[in-house]
């Protein structure tokens, strides 16, 4: 049985996940609009960029959303987007 401390930590993690989800969902929407991908494909693109740029998915998502306000992407994220797009397109053309 989990301890009170473990339950508190789990509750905190769930709270953080609920706070971050809208940002990730908005970024998926940005990708869906820009690249005509599905929501699942948008998620896969975010995860791929996250893994290859060594950046949390939430931070990649925030950076993508910021581009809708004419903010530049950080270089360490921007350098991985072309490869993510090429990978996504290749999987679609399959």
């Amino acid at each position: 049985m989990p301890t009170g401390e473990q339950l508190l930590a789990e509750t905190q993690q769930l709270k953080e996940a609920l706070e971050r989800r809208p940002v990730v969902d908005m970024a998926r929407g940005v990708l869906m609009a820009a690249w005509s991908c599905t929501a699942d494909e948008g998620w896969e693109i975010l995860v791929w960029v996250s893994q290859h740029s060594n950046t949390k998915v939430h931070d990649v998502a925030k950076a993508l959303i910021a581009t809708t306000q004419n903010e530049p992407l950080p270089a360490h994220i921007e350098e991985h987007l072309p490869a993510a797009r090429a990978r996504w397109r290749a999987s679609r053309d399959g």
Side-chain angles (χ1 to χ4, degrees), residues 67-84:
T67 65
T68 67
Q69 302 299 312
N70 296 320
E71 293 290 326
L73 276 174
H76 70 284
I77 294 173
E78 184 175 25
E79 71 181 279
H80 295 286
L81 272 178

Side-chain angles (χ1 to χ4, degrees), residues 15-53:
K15 181 181 174 189
E16 288 174 11
L18 286 172
E19 290 171 355
R20 292 172 184 229
R21 183 176 179 126
V23 173
V24 172
D25 286 344
M26 282 191 286
R28 288 167 63 182
V30 168
L31 290 170
M32 291 167 65
W35 294 358
S36 299
C37 65
T38 66
D40 287 341
E41 290 168 336
W43 169 252
E44 291 172 13
I45 292 164
L46 288 173
V47 169
W48 193 91
V49 172
S50 168
Q51 290 173 343
H52 288 82
S53 66

